[in-house]
Each structure stands twice: as structure tokens, then as C-alpha cells.
Amino acid sequence: MIQIKDLHKSYKMGKNSLHVLKGINFNVEEGELVAIMGSSGSGKSTLLNILGMLDSSDSGEYILDNVPIKDLNETKAARYRNKFLGFVFQSFNLINYKSAAENVALPLYYQKVPRKERQEKALKYLEQVGLKEWAGHLPSELSGGQKQRVAIARALAAEPKVLLADEPTGALDSKTSYEVMDLIQKINDQGNTILIVTHEPDIADMCKRIVHLKDGVIIEDKKIEQVRAEQYV
Amino acid sequence: MFNRDRWKEILEVLSSNVFRTLATSFGVGWGIFILIILLAAGKGLENGIRADFGDIATNTMFMWSRNTTMSYKGLPKGRRFSFKIEDVLAINDNVPNLRFISPRNQLGGFGSGNNVVRGLKTGAFNVYGDYPEIIRQEPMTITSGRFVNHNDIQDKRKVAVIGVGVRNELYDQGETVLGTYIKIQGVNFMVVGTYQKKDDGGGEEGQKEIYVPFTAFSQAFNMGNDVGWMAITAHDGSSISNLKEKIVGVVKEKRKIHPDDKRAVGYFDLYEQFNRVESLFGALRWVAYFVGVLVLLSGIIGVSNIMLIVIKERTKEIGIRRALGEAPWSIKKQILMESIFLTIISGMIGIVFGAAFIYGVNAVLDSVGPVDMFVNPSVSLGVVVSALVILIFSGLLAGFIPAQSAIKIRPIEALRTE
């Protein structure tokens, strides 16, 4: 699903240049649930941003679902993001003047899905995250866990190839974190490919594979026995 | 463009801060208001001055003879001469695009004594020997009977058309006018019609005229072939100002006047005068647009400013949308539409208030009676349409910079903004 070869990225800070990613190589197969771990400054967010086409690499190859991702202009990047990727953010990033259902329907709107179909799909995905009754509520009327579940429903709505989650539990208490992880695991069980950036070991243990980043290189890449979140819920 | 979700969003954004939206739209509305008022005031002035011109055919020149000032072909200078009736034919043959050439002879005039008698009543009036076409060059309303016609010219009939002023002086109230006779300098003419001219501010003088057929006039008052003056009107497409040199040239040749003698033929170019006034109107309109658009510009800058602030506030949202896959041009379109929508709505309000204001001014003008040189200030549909075009254009202008800056923000930076 994802192939990355010798990926480099550096940021210019005035005169100094900060080499953040120093040659990353890794592949992700379809249906994997990967945790990308590392302390802050290890380059894990940069990697996720490049995977999410929110940022570009300096050199290296990135192939997503057999499509080489290079020379993107903004319009093309937007189309690829919409088609291939679903995003879940630490701070939920819901649009606060739109209801839960409208938020979920947003990626479909950009795909020019007809209005009625959009609404049906939005409800379907809200149901999947268990928030069908909250469809008409604004984000400000939802709890943190509910917001993240709406965000996950939104990420799923476009039926992306890969789900990218940047610290999805970072702003949640541990009980809600496990609920969200339970949801992510169930989505993964349906065959979706998911990448999670986290620095919490217990969250990483709930994935099927852990990639450890340090100072811009992968120091460890291992498959693990998945801990199911269900038991904590 | 006619997308329900897009419009819903525009309304949501604009109504999220009602006071700010109102304050912004005031600037644009005020600009359009001023523009409309200025144009209406210009139009009022124009209407007032046009009313003074009446429906006189403005593409007209008047020509009369004076003394020569240069000797030519053995003829001395200071010679007195008259146009002849054949000059009219010569002009007609040699100068194209002329609509009417009306020769005219005249009796009476300012300060002269009584020249018309009817029974015991007498009066001093201008008496014109004219061709029927004169009524097209100097419009008047025939209130009874008829005007001079070509049969009158042909048969040299001694008939007369008199103004209401003449009737009032020579006839009693309610007395029959048509078919009666008046004696002009000892010659009887039968009255066949009465006319009334539009009041052009010249007082009663215009109503105290008598029109008789040119040929009858020449015969009755021993004019021979002489023509006192001519009123010449060109076709609408060609201006008399361009033709006058040629006309005067033809006459000079026929009357054996030195071609360089500038003072022998006197003329008055009504069209030139009219054009001078016309160009004044043009300048007024231009000033109105200039000032109006400048005032509008400050409103537009206000809109642009607010749009920039709105984008700053929505930076994160724009980042989210782009992460979810909204194309940059879609965001740009959204912002441009918001800006155009805001400008047009506020502009419409300005137009409505402007129209109401003009309506009020008209009501006041109606109640206090006519004001000199100012009649019926108004704006035409054309002005409203051009105001709308200006608004759409300014909306685009106001939204352009903010829209550009919105898509310049990279999604990753936008997402980091808290």
C-alpha cells in the first residue's frame, strides 16, 4: 500500500538547516495497523505530514497504492488527499459552525457526491462510530471523545486507502483513549490500513506493528501481538 | 455557483458577526448612494437645461446677410445684398445631407410700431413669411385650424397662422378666429390657424407671431426674390457644424462675395451651442462617476480588509478543508463569492436608499413648484445596471487579494494555527 525509499527532509532555520528525516525506508501492506513512535523531534510528525501530502520531501520515493507521489501542485495534492487519505488530528479539527453530520459529509462534498447521498453516507458513518443521535449537534456540544469519533467518521467517509492519525488520543483521558482505540481497531478489522503517530506506549501496543523513530532514522520496526482495547472499555 | 451548500456557508459566515458585516456593507452602500445621487443631480440639471431648449431641432443653423467687407469681381465693399430664392435651390443641389432649408422673410420685430390691424384693434407683431417645414425646426402646437402648407406656397394664398398672444390682443374672448381677416401692413390675410409655443422662458414674445406663406409674403410686401434669412437643418447623422462652411461657400459664390470675406454672411450655429452644453453634461456625468467611484473605492477597501480578517480567523478551518481535499480554487471561489455577495447586497441597499432619496427630492420639487434649471432628477435603468456592474467588479477586486492570500497559506501551517 505504501512504499517509502530513502526519504530525506530538512528545514531551513535561518542560516542553519535542520535535517529531520535522514533516509527513511519502510513499507506498509494493506490492512496493517502501524504505530509510529518516537520522542518529540524524532521526525514522526514530519513523516506523517509527508505521507499525508501536507508537506513535501526533499528527496526519496513515495508510492501510495501504486501511484508515485511527486511533483504535486496544490490542486493535485488536494485531489489525492481527498481520494487516498483520511486524517484524524490530535485536536479533532472539526469545523465548529457545522453540525457533526455536515462535518462528516465534508470530504464527500469535495468529491462532488450529490447532496442526498452525502447525507445518507454521513449518517451511516456516524452510526458506525455510535453517534447517529448526535448528527445534528455542533462540535461545541460534544465531548472530546465524541469529537474524535466524529473526526474518525469524517476520515472514513471518503473511503480512503489509508487512515492517518496524528496523536488521536493525545487530548483524551485514558478511558476515552481506549474507546477511540477500540473504534480504530474495529475499523482496522474491516481491512482498512491505518497509521498512528503516538508517543504513548500503551496506545502503540494496541497496534499490530511499531515503527520506532529516533533522530530522523528508523531504529526499530517490529510486528507485535495486538492488545485489544475492548477489555479496558 | 448555484450550490446550496456554498450559499449556506456564505450566509453562515456573514451572519456570524452581524455588526461587522453591517459596518462593512455601509461603506459600499454609501459609495453607491453617493454615486446615484450625483448622477441624479447631474440628470436633473441636464433635464432643466434641455427643457430650455424645448424641442427645437438642434441640428440647425440660421443664416442672414450683412454688408460685404471686401471688394470682389468689380463690386465695391460695403455693398448691401440679399439672399435670393435661387440660393436655396443652389444649397439644396450642392450640399448633401440637409433635411430642411427654410427661407424666411420678416416684418416687424423688436421695438417696431403697430403693423397689424383688425377692426378697431391694432398690435405690433412679428410677421414671418415661411415655408411649411419651419414647424419642424421651431416646433409649435396648432391649437385650431392648420399650419401653412405647400398649396398655400404654390398659390401664394394670403392666409395667416397666429399665436395665442395675437389672438388675445386682436379678438374678444370666445370670438371665432378661423376664417376672419387681419390686415398686415394694409394687406388682408385670412386666419386659418392658431398655434401655441411651449413656454421657453422667453415670455410672451413667442406667442405673438404671425406665420404666412413665404410666396404670399414676398408678393404682398414687394420682396421680389429676396430672402431675409434661412433656417437650415441637417439630417440626424451629420452635424450642421461640419456643413456650414460649405453652405456659406455656396451662398458667397452665388452672391459674388469674396471667399475670404468673413463678415458678409452672418450665421448662428445652434448645434454648436447645443454641443457645448452637451459636453458640459458629459463632463458632469464623468465627475459624478469619478467622485462616486472614489467614494465606493473606500468602501471596497473596507470589504477587502474585513475579508482579510475573516480569512485570518478562518485560517485553521481553511487548513482543515484543504487536508480533507478541497481544491485551492474552490476556496478562492468561496471567498470571492462571499465578497461579491456582500458588495452586491450592500450596493443594492445603497441603490434603494438612493432611489428613495431621489423620490423624496422629486416630491419636494413638485410641492414647491419648478426650480430654475433643475427638473426631475432621476437615474435610468442603464445607470442602475452600470452601478451593478461596478459592484460585481469591485466585489471581485475586494475579494481577490484576500482569496489569493487564503490559498497561499499551506495546509500544514494552517493546521498548526490555534
Side-chain angles (χ1 to χ4, degrees):
Chain A
M1 184 57 69
I2 293 175
Q3 284 121 34
I4 283 180
K5 272 184 207 138
D6 200 25
L7 200 71
H8 284 266
K9 175 73 182 175
S10 52
Y11 289 110
K12 286 222 163 54
M13 306 273 216
K15 274 182 189 168
N16 305 323
S17 127
L18 190 65
H19 206 164
V20 185
L21 296 180
K22 302 166 181 166
I24 303 278
N25 291 290
F26 88 124
N27 294 326
V28 178
E29 300 303 321
E30 193 166 350
E32 278 197 279
L33 176 56
V34 184
I36 298 171
M37 285 197 73
S39 54
S40 56
S42 62
K44 58 187 194 308
S45 284
T46 307
L47 179 60
L48 197 75
N49 285 334
I50 291 172
L51 289 176
M53 295 178 231
L54 295 170
D55 207 347
S56 58
S57 59
D58 295 341
S59 65
E61 246 179 76
Y62 171 22
I63 296 168
L64 175 61
D65 196 31
N66 298 323
V67 180
I69 305 298
K70 57 180 180 185
D71 302 329
L72 290 180
N73 61 28
E74 283 295 342
T75 313
K76 209 166 160 188
R79 206 173 62 235
Y80 281 1
R81 279 198 292 268
N82 190 252
K83 201 163 117 190
F84 291 134
L85 302 170
F87 287 93
V88 178
F89 302 96
Q90 178 175 6
S91 51
F92 324 129
N93 282 348
L94 299 175
I95 292 175
N96 50 28
Y97 60 86
K98 286 184 183 295
S99 72
E102 283 172 329
N103 263 291
V104 175
L106 213 52
L108 299 169
Y109 174 59
Y110 302 138
Q111 288 179 351
K112 306 209 175 357
V113 174
R115 187 181 167 78
K116 208 156 168 130
E117 200 182 323
R118 244 169 25 223
Q119 286 167 336
E120 280 164 13
K121 272 197 175 175
L123 283 183
K124 183 184 130 195
Y125 283 103
L126 276 178
E127 192 173 15
Q128 197 178 338
V129 300
L131 287 173
K132 197 180 180 186
E133 310 81 76
W134 300 83
H137 287 249
L138 291 176
S140 53
E141 296 159 348
L142 302 174
S143 72
Q146 285 171 325
K147 279 187 208 173
Q148 196 58 299
R149 273 146 67 188
V150 171
I152 290 170
R154 181 176 68 182
L156 288 174
E159 286 160 9
K161 304 280 181 196
V162 177
L163 215 63
L164 299 175
D166 189 3
E167 306 266 10
T169 58
L172 304 173
D173 61 47
S174 43
K175 186 174 179 297
T176 354
S177 293
Y178 294 144
E179 280 170 17
V180 167
M181 278 316 289
D182 181 38
L183 181 63
I184 288 176
Q185 281 179 342
K186 279 175 181 154
I187 292 163
N188 177 245
D189 291 344
Q190 291 164 11
N192 291 301
T193 316
I194 303 173
L195 264 73
I196 298 175
V197 164
T198 183
H199 61 265
E200 293 167 71
D202 56 335
I203 298 297
D205 286 341
M206 291 176 181
C207 299
K208 293 173 177 169
R209 176 180 164 194
I210 298 177
V211 175
H212 224 105
L213 242 65
K214 195 176 182 189
D215 298 330
V217 286
I218 296 175
I219 51 165
E220 192 185 20
D221 185 349
K222 60 173 184 196
K223 295 225 155 108
I224 56 157
E225 193 59 41
Q226 187 182 33
V227 179
R228 296 299 291 190
E230 261 172 314
Q231 56 194 301
Y232 301 108
V233 177
Chain B
M1 187 179 289
F2 299 103
N3 182 320
R4 196 164 142 190
D5 300 78
R6 213 176 260 289
W7 282 110
K8 190 167 169 239
E9 201 163 311
I10 289 174
L11 290 179
E12 273 169 352
V13 168
L14 293 181
S15 59
S16 69
N17 194 333
V18 177
F19 179 73
R20 187 172 70 189
T21 306
L22 283 181
T24 311
S25 53
F26 178 78
V28 173
W30 182 245
I32 279 286
F33 179 77
I34 296 284
L35 178 66
I36 295 277
I37 299 285
L38 283 176
L39 284 173
K43 188 76 188 167
L45 190 65
E46 188 177 332
N47 285 342
I49 291 173
R50 264 188 218 281
D52 284 352
F53 268 97
D55 351 310
I56 294 169
T58 44
N59 201 4
T60 298
M61 69 177 280
F62 304 99
M63 190 167 67
W64 57 92
S65 58
R66 298 201 286 217
N67 292 350
T68 61
T69 58
M70 293 165 88
S71 52
Y72 186 58
K73 288 191 175 172
L75 295 163
K77 68 175 184 179
R79 175 171 62 100
R80 178 89 202 147
F81 74 101
S82 234
F83 300 141
K84 299 289 178 193
I85 197 76
E86 66 222 56
D87 299 347
V88 176
L89 299 175
I91 293 170
N92 205 11
D93 290 345
N94 290 311
V95 185
N97 293 328
L98 293 181
R99 196 159 156 226
F100 308 120
I101 308 170
S102 303
R104 163 182 273 189
N105 279 317
Q106 183 180 357
L107 274 181
F110 181 73
S112 54
N114 289 346
N115 54 3
V116 181
V117 181
R118 177 177 179 264
L120 295 174
K121 293 182 174 171
T122 60
F125 306 110
N126 286 329
V127 182
Y128 298 122
D130 265 318
Y131 273 82
E133 283 79 21
I134 195 74
I135 198 169
R136 313 278 287 273
Q137 291 163 299
E138 220 183 301
M140 55 188 105
T141 316
I142 300 300
T143 49
S144 69
R146 62 174 176 85
F147 194 65
V148 173
N149 62 28
H150 279 284
N151 288 337
D152 298 335
I153 298 285
Q154 202 100 50
D155 301 344
K156 301 180 183 173
R157 289 177 189 156
K158 292 204 283 295
V159 294
V161 178
I162 62 173
V164 287
V166 178
R167 195 198 64 193
N168 291 344
E169 284 194 29
L170 297 184
Y171 293 84
D172 291 330
Q173 195 80 30
E175 201 176 347
T176 315
V177 177
L178 299 183
T180 59
Y181 287 86
I182 54 175
K183 197 175 273 186
I184 303 170
Q185 289 208 339
V187 182
N188 273 316
F189 284 79
M190 184 169 73
V191 178
V192 294
T194 58
Y195 75 85
Q196 183 158 28
K197 279 188 185 170
K198 220 177 180 180
D199 181 25
D200 58 357
E204 287 294 287
E205 213 49 46
Q207 318 292 3
K208 291 187 178 177
E209 289 166 350
I210 300 173
Y211 291 85
V212 303
F214 182 83
T215 47
F217 187 100
S218 299
Q219 195 170 52
F221 306 116
N222 295 322
M223 293 294 184
N225 278 337
D226 288 358
V227 173
W229 69 312
M230 298 185 208
I232 302 171
T233 302
H235 280 295
D236 283 347
S238 47
S239 112
I240 194 75
S241 305
N242 298 331
L243 296 172
K244 68 183 177 202
E245 293 297 331
K246 206 166 176 189
I247 294 167
V248 172
V250 168
V251 172
K252 278 179 177 167
E253 202 192 314
K254 290 291 281 183
R255 289 300 118 226
K256 295 194 176 65
I257 295 158
H258 196 288
D260 296 336
D261 191 344
K262 290 207 175 352
R263 304 188 56 187
V265 178
Y267 58 81
F268 176 77
D269 184 347
L270 185 61
Y271 191 62
E272 201 177 78
Q273 302 297 318
F274 185 71
N275 265 351
R276 212 167 280 167
V277 179
E278 280 289 280
S279 61
L280 176 73
F281 295 149
L284 273 180
R285 254 195 303 274
W286 197 82
V287 167
Y289 270 110
F290 185 72
V291 174
V293 166
L294 280 188
V295 175
L296 188 61
L297 191 67
S298 62
I300 292 164
I301 290 170
V303 171
S304 204
N305 246 329
I306 289 297
M307 293 308 294
L308 277 174
I309 292 172
V310 165
I311 281 156
K312 199 89 204 157
E313 282 174 355
R314 292 170 67 193
T315 299
K316 180 150 192 174
E317 185 200 321
I318 290 169
I320 299 168
R321 287 154 162 279
R322 293 187 65 177
L324 294 179
E326 182 166 18
W329 63 263
S330 169
I331 290 171
K332 201 166 160 176
K333 199 161 120 189
Q334 176 82 30
I335 288 155
L336 282 178
M337 277 175 73
E338 272 168 34
S339 142
I340 292 175
F341 181 72
L342 183 62
T343 338
I344 288 184
I345 290 296
S346 39
M348 293 282 207
I349 293 169
I351 290 174
V352 168
F353 273 94
F357 184 81
I358 293 165
Y359 184 81
V361 168
N362 269 325
V364 171
L365 277 182
D366 281 348
S367 64
V368 300
V371 177
D372 241 9
M373 304 237 281
F374 199 77
V375 176
N376 185 26
S378 57
V379 285
S380 60
L381 197 64
V383 169
V384 175
V385 170
S386 57
L388 273 182
V389 171
I390 291 176
L391 280 174
I392 293 174
F393 182 74
S394 17
L396 269 175
L397 203 72
F400 189 75
I401 296 171
Q404 208 59 31
S405 76
I407 64 165
K408 255 195 209 130
I409 308 169
R410 298 178 56 219
I412 182 168
E413 282 153 20
L415 281 171
R416 275 195 204 123
T417 326
E418 281 307 320

